[in-house]
Amino acid sequence: MSISIAEHDYIRLSEANMEKNKIDDKDLNFKATELRLGLPGSESPERESVTVKKRGFADTINGGSGKWVFAGNGGLEVDLVQNGGNKNLGCVKAESDVLVLPKGGLLEKKGLVSVKSDGQTSVPATKQQVVGWPPIRSFRKNTMAVSQTKNEENNDPKMGSGCLYVKVSMDGAPYLRKVDLKIYSCYLDLSSALEKMFSCFTIGQYGSHGAPTREGLSESRLMDLLHGSEYVLTYEDKDGDWMLVGDVPWDMFIGSCKRMRIMKSSDAIGLGKILNTPQNLDFSTTNQEVKSPLNLAPRAMEKCRNRN
Amino acid sequence: MAYSFPEEVLEHVFSFLASQKDRNAVSLVCKTWYEMERWCRKRIFVGNCYAVNPRIMIRRFPEVKSVELKGKPHFADFNLVPEGWGGCVYPWIVEIARGYPWLEEIRLKRMVVTDESLELISKSFKNFKVLILSSCEGFSTDGLAAIAANCRNLRVLDLRECEVEELSGHWLSHFPDSFTSLESLNMACLSYEVSFSALERLVSRSSNLKTLRLNRNVPIEKLSILLQRAPQLVDFGTGAYSSEIRSDTYSSLAEAFSGCKKLKSLSGFWDVVPAYLPAVYSVCSQLTSLNLSYATTQSPDLSKILGQCHNLQRLVVLDYIEDTGLDTVAMSCKDLRELVVFPSDPFVADANVLLTEQGLVSVSEGCSKLQSVLYFCRQMSNSALISISKNRPNLTCFRCCILEPRAPDYLTFEPLDVGFGSIVENCKQLTRLSMSGLLTDRVFEYIGTHAKKLDMLSIAFAGDSDLGLHHVLSGCESLRKLEIRDCPFGDKALLANTSKLETMRSLWMSSCSVSFGACKLLGQKMPRLNVEVIDERENLDSIAEDAHVEKVYIYRTVSGQRPDMPDFVRTMGKDNHEVYNLS
C-alpha cells in the first residue's frame, strides 16, 4: 500500500497492547475492568455528564431497576478511555432498547461448558444484551422466546431469558418503536421507559417541527398527560383482544403481550374486560379503534360474525 | 455487425441469458444490442429500491413480467435500522401498475408493504401469479384477503418471516371456490388459526400444489389429512409438531408421509415431541432440504433422523445437535451443500449444549460438497478455522458467529486473524464472509490481499484503526456490500476510497468513528452517492462537524435524494433543492 494512513491506536488493541492485555486477563482480575449494570455512583461520574440529548431518549436511570440508557457515541469513547482500555466497546445505542455494555469477562468463558457430572446444567447468568447481537432475526428470537416460555411452563429445566420485541405505537406519532419486554421487571420500569421514549412526540406538538423546545417542559409533563386523562397504555394479547396494561400480573402480561399502543383515553373506554353482550353489534367496524358503545374487542366481534 | 444478424435471432439468443449480470453485460456491447436487450428483458432485479426510481426502470424496460426489489439494509434484520427509516413499496406499485399491466411476479425483501399496496397489486395485474414477501412488514391479513380474493391466476403466495398484523384467520377463506391454480403457499410466519376446512378444501382443489408451509397453529392431528389430499407435495412445512402421544395419530401421520413420494423438503416442527419424529423416517432418504431450526429436541433424536438423510443438501438446525450430531451428519450426509446452526439460547453466558468448533470441523472433513456455512458457536480457534479452510477450499459462503463479541482463540488467546485469513486465502471462490471474535487490522490485510471474489462482508467489534477499513476498500475488487458495526473505522479510510464506494451497492457503518463533517464532504464530492446519516439525537443540525454519527448508510443511486426521509435521516452534502429525480 502506498497510501499512508496513520495507524491510530484506538482504545483497544494494537499489537503491543495485545500481549499486555493477554497476560492481564489471564490473571483473571476482571473486577477492575468490568462494566456492570447498575447506577454509576462514584465509579464513573463522567457518564452522567453527556450533553448531547437523544430525541425522545433522555439520559436516564430507569425507575428502580438500575438499568440505564446511554446517549450517543461521543460520551462512550470518553468513558472507555477513562476505564483504562477496557476491551468491550459493545454497542450502546439505545433506540427502543435499553443497552448495557457486555461484561469484560471473555476469557473466563473459554471453551467451558458448565454441564455438571450429573447432567444438570448450572443456572447460567444471563448475558447483558447488546442491540442486534448476536445477529438473529426478530422472528426467530420471538419464536424461540415463546418456545422457552412453553418449556418453562412444562417444567423443562431450560434456562434463558431470550428477548421479546413488541411494537409500541402512539396515536398521533409518526412512527412506532420496538421494545424488548424481557429487560423490564415490572410495570413501573416499562412505563417509565415508554414515557422517555415517547415524550418527544407529545412535547413536539407544542414546538416547531423537528425541533421541540424544552424550556418549561419536562418529562413530568408527559407523565401528567399519561397519568392524567389524555393517554392510556394498552396492549393486544394473544387472543387479539385489547386490554389495559396493568390488569394482569407482570409475568402473565409479558407472556401474552403481542404489541402495545398508547391510546387517547377517549378511545379506551370499556377496555380491561371483554364484554360479550350480543345486542347492537356494529359489524361495519373492522379496525382496532373500539367505537361501538359496548366496546367489544375486535376478535370477539369476529367470532360473532363468523357465527352468523 | 448488427445487420448480419436478424433481430429475431439475437432475441432468441438473449432469451437463454437468465442472469441479470449477463443481460447487463450484453446491453453494454453496442447500441443495437442495448435496444434489443431492453425490449426483451422480462425480469428485473433492483438490489436497492433507492438506487433507481420506477419511472427510469419502466422507460428502459417496457416488457417486464417480473420485478424484484430490496428495501432496508441487511442490518435492519437485527433492529439496527430505526422504525420509519423507509423502504415503502407503495410508490413503486403505483408506477408499476401503470407501466406493467401484464406483470406476473413481484418479489420484495425488507420492505414496508401496506394493505393499500397489496390491494393495488391485487387489482392492477390481470395475470398476476407470484407474490413473495421476505422479511416485510406493514400489512395485515386484510391485505392478504385482497390478494386471495382478486388474484384469479395466483400461483405463489410466499410469506417468509414477515411481520403481519393479524386481524383474523379469515383471509384464507377469500380464495374463491373456482380458484385452483395454487402451486405454493407459505404462511409459516402467521400465528392466527385459519379455518381448517377452508384450508383443506383449498389444498384439495389445487392439484398443482407443490409447496405448503403451514403455521404453528395447525395441529399435528390434522397433518395427515392435508398430506393425503396433496401427496404430490415437494416441500412441506408442518405446524406445531406436538400432541399427547396417540398411536392412531402417529400411524396415520406415518402413513401419510410415506405416501408423499415426491417430498424433498421438510420444515416447521415447532414444539416438537420426539415420539412423533419417526413418522418422517420413510421420507428421510428422499430429502434434499431439512429445516429443524425450531425443533427443540435433543441430539440423539436429531441424529436418528439425520443418519437416514443420505441425499440431504441443505440442513438448518439448532445447536441441540451438538458435536456428536454433526459427526453423524459428516458421516451420513455426503451430499451436503449448506449447513446452518442457530443458537438455542444465545443470551445465556455459559454454553447450554455441547456444540463447539469441532462439529463444524467434522462436517468440513466429511462433506466434500459443503459450500455454505452459517454457524453460531461459543468458542473458536485459529487451528479449527485453518482446518476448515484446508478441508473445504470450495466454500463460497462462510459466516461464523461467536456469541461473545471479541472472543479470542480459546486455546491460545490470540486474535482470530490467522484463522479467518486462512479462510480467505484458501477459499478462493468465497463470495460472502461474516466474521466475529477478536480481530485486529491484520485480518483485514489478509482479506484485502486474498478475497478477490468477495461480494459481501459483515464485520462487528473488530479492527484497530482506519487501516483495517482501507485494506478492505482498496483490496476487495468484487466487493458490493459492506456492513460494519462497532469498529474503530473512521473518516480517513472512507475519504481515501470514495470512488470505490460508487462501485458498490452499499456501505453501512454504525457505532463507528465516522464524523458528520466527513459525511458531508463525501456527499458533496460524490453526487451519485447518497450519504444517509441516521441519527436519532435531537438538534441534528447543531451537532459539531467532528462528532461521530450514530449510523451512516452510503449507497449509489441515479435517483438523487429520496423524498421520503423521516427527520432522523439526512442525506449529507446535497443541496436542499436537489429534488428526487423522476425523469
Side-chain angles (χ1 to χ4, degrees), chain A residues 72-88:
Chain A
N73 207 4
L76 178 61
E77 286 192 15
V78 170
D79 294 338
L80 287 173
V81 167
Q82 278 151 349
N83 262 327
N86 184 294
K87 287 191 283 187
N88 288 314

Side-chain angles (χ1 to χ4, degrees), chain A:
Chain A
M1 289 324 140
S2 55
I3 297 173
S4 60
I5 293 186
E7 202 166 330
H8 296 284
D9 186 4
Y10 278 71
I11 297 147
R12 290 164 286 102
L13 311 163
S14 68
E15 296 282 310
N17 279 342
M18 255 161 45
E19 286 298 307
K20 179 167 152 310
N21 282 341
K22 188 168 83 181
I23 294 162
D24 285 344
D25 287 332
K26 269 190 118 163
D27 291 341
L28 298 179
N29 178 15
F30 294 116
K31 280 295 175 192
T33 56
E34 192 179 292
L35 291 165
R36 292 173 283 132
L37 277 176
L39 303 177
S42 56
E43 286 180 349
S44 11
E46 302 82 19
R47 283 208 172 89
E48 293 175 33
S49 64
V50 177
T51 51
V52 178
K53 287 259 181 222
K54 276 175 100 64
R55 187 197 59 220
F57 300 98
D59 232 28
T60 187
I61 293 158
N62 195 341
S65 68
K67 297 192 180 78
W68 42 315
V69 175
F70 288 97
N73 207 4
L76 178 61
E77 286 192 15
V78 170
D79 294 338
L80 287 173
V81 167
Q82 278 151 349
N83 262 327
N86 184 294
K87 287 191 283 187
N88 288 314
L89 252 187
C91 171
V92 286
K93 289 303 142 270
E95 301 182 0
S96 28
D97 314 304
V98 174
L99 296 171
V100 293
L101 297 174
K103 282 170 68 153
L106 292 174
L107 298 171
E108 204 167 50
K109 312 287 183 297
K110 57 186 184 298
L112 299 175
V113 177
S114 62
V115 179
K116 298 193 187 120
S117 54
D118 62 357
Q120 287 291 327
T121 51
S122 58
V123 175
T126 307
K127 284 165 82 69
Q128 290 128 343
Q129 293 183 29
V130 175
V131 157
W133 192 266
I136 301 171
R137 290 185 180 155
S138 310
F139 180 80
R140 169 165 293 277
K141 278 200 278 213
N142 288 350
T143 305
M144 296 306 291
V146 172
S147 294
Q148 272 163 356
T149 314
K150 283 190 180 173
N151 285 334
E152 278 155 31
E153 285 163 17
N154 299 338
N155 297 320
D156 200 304
K158 283 195 183 73
M159 292 292 293
S161 60
C163 65
L164 198 57
Y165 281 100
V166 297
K167 289 187 176 177
V168 186
S169 61
M170 177 167 172
D171 289 354
Y175 33 80
L176 43 75
R177 302 286 179 191
K178 278 186 183 165
V179 293
D180 177 4
L181 289 182
K182 297 265 186 172
I183 59 178
Y184 305 109
S185 51
C186 63
Y187 284 118
L188 182 62
D189 291 350
L190 174 63
S191 80
S192 307
L194 291 178
E195 279 159 23
K196 305 299 176 205
M197 241 178 257
F198 284 93
S199 58
C200 62
F201 294 129
T202 315
I203 294 166
Q205 287 167 18
Y206 301 95
S208 55
H209 172 69
T213 57
R214 292 198 84 81
E215 49 259 4
L217 295 170
S218 64
E219 279 90 34
S220 62
R221 166 82 182 144
L222 178 64
M223 285 175 71
D224 290 343
L225 289 173
L226 285 185
H227 292 154
S229 54
E230 270 213 49
Y231 289 93
V232 289
L233 182 59
T234 63
Y235 73 101
E236 184 184 12
D237 73 0
K238 279 197 171 114
D239 296 325
D241 300 315
W242 286 86
M243 319 277 275
L244 280 175
V245 168
D247 274 355
V248 302
W250 174 254
D251 288 324
M252 196 182 299
F253 167 69
I254 59 174
S256 61
C257 172
K258 281 173 54 176
R259 61 181 160 155
M260 290 187 276
R261 180 175 158 198
I262 303 174
M263 234 187 231
K264 293 209 160 81
S265 303
S266 46
D267 292 337
I269 300 161
L271 283 184
K273 286 187 276 208
I274 303 167
L275 304 173
N276 243 329
T277 26
Q279 341 44 330
N280 293 353
L281 296 171
D282 181 11
F283 289 117
S284 64
T285 309
T286 53
N287 60 21
Q288 314 155 13
E289 247 181 56
V290 182
K291 284 186 178 131
S292 79
L294 291 172
N295 292 315
L296 277 184
R299 178 91 165 147
M301 284 167 70
E302 191 61 49
K303 286 180 186 148
C304 292
R305 199 184 305 154
N306 286 349
R307 243 181 269 133
N308 290 358

Side-chain angles (χ1 to χ4, degrees), chain B residues 242-524:
Chain B
S242 67
S243 169
E244 51 177 53
I245 299 166
R246 297 180 45 158
S247 54
D248 52 348
T249 307
Y250 176 85
S251 53
S252 25
L253 188 57
E255 200 180 319
F257 270 119
S258 65
C260 296
K261 304 291 183 203
K262 299 191 177 169
L263 199 59
K264 286 202 157 34
S265 170
L266 270 184
S267 58
F269 298 105
W270 285 283
D271 314 318
V272 75
V273 161
Y276 278 108
L277 282 175
V280 308
Y281 284 178
S282 59
V283 294
C284 282
S285 59
Q286 300 162 203
L287 294 179
T288 55
S289 170
L290 181 57
N291 187 333
L292 291 167
S293 64
Y294 294 105
T296 50
T297 186
Q298 303 301 317
S299 181
D301 300 308
L302 294 171
S303 293
K304 283 198 202 110
I305 296 185
L306 292 167
Q308 303 181 51
C309 295
H310 302 294
N311 288 306
L312 202 62
Q313 295 178 15
R314 181 170 190 263
L315 175 62
V316 186
V317 78
L318 284 171
D319 58 6
Y320 289 129
I321 193 173
E322 299 191 333
D323 289 344
T324 48
L326 288 175
D327 287 338
T328 306
V329 170
M331 274 195 313
S332 312
C333 309
K334 292 302 187 188
D335 213 19
L336 196 71
R337 320 278 164 101
E338 184 180 352
L339 175 68
V340 175
V341 180
F342 284 119
S344 51
D345 229 339
F347 302 108
V348 159
D350 299 319
N352 56 326
V353 290
L354 285 162
L355 179 103
T356 68
E357 79 286 4
Q358 209 36 58
L360 183 57
V361 172
S362 224
V363 174
S364 74
E365 278 164 11
C367 302
S368 63
K369 296 191 188 164
L370 187 70
Q371 287 178 321
S372 174
V373 172
L374 170 55
Y375 199 75
F376 284 83
C377 56
R378 283 185 163 83
Q379 63 185 49
M380 187 48 72
S381 65
N382 283 312
S383 58
L385 288 170
I386 293 170
S387 300
I388 292 164
S389 72
K390 292 198 168 141
N391 291 336
R392 292 279 62 77
N394 50 329
L395 284 175
T396 54
C397 168
F398 188 72
R399 296 192 279 163
C400 178
C401 178
I402 306 161
L403 292 177
E404 178 79 36
R406 301 196 189 85
D409 178 323
Y410 78 100
L411 296 168
T412 65
F413 309 118
E414 283 169 4
L416 291 168
D417 298 336
V418 171
F420 281 104
S422 182
I423 295 276
V424 294
E425 194 176 343
N426 290 330
C427 305
K428 301 198 195 319
Q429 303 304 315
L430 198 71
T431 53
R432 185 167 180 188
L433 177 65
S434 296
M435 305 188 293
S436 56
L438 186 62
L439 297 163
T440 72
D441 281 347
R442 175 163 287 175
V443 74
F444 298 110
E445 197 182 335
Y446 293 140
I447 291 173
T449 308
H450 295 287
K452 296 304 179 187
K453 297 260 172 84
L454 196 65
D455 174 279
M456 180 170 179
L457 178 61
S458 310
I459 309 171
F461 306 104
D464 309 315
S465 74
D466 272 287
L467 199 55
L469 179 57
H470 177 71
H471 283 309
V472 171
L473 289 177
S474 55
C476 297
E477 292 159 5
S478 312
L479 193 67
R480 285 183 321 117
K481 288 171 280 181
L482 180 56
E483 47 185 24
I484 302 173
R485 61 163 296 176
D486 294 89
C487 297
F489 300 148
D491 302 342
K492 287 212 167 74
L494 272 188
L495 295 174
N497 291 283
T498 56
S499 46
K500 172 71 174 175
L501 297 175
E502 243 188 40
T503 67
M504 293 166 56
R505 182 189 295 173
S506 65
L507 166 61
W508 168 279
M509 294 179 71
S510 56
S511 307
C512 297
S513 310
V514 180
S515 70
F516 279 91
C519 290
K520 207 194 285 185
L521 197 57
L522 189 58
Q524 279 165 352

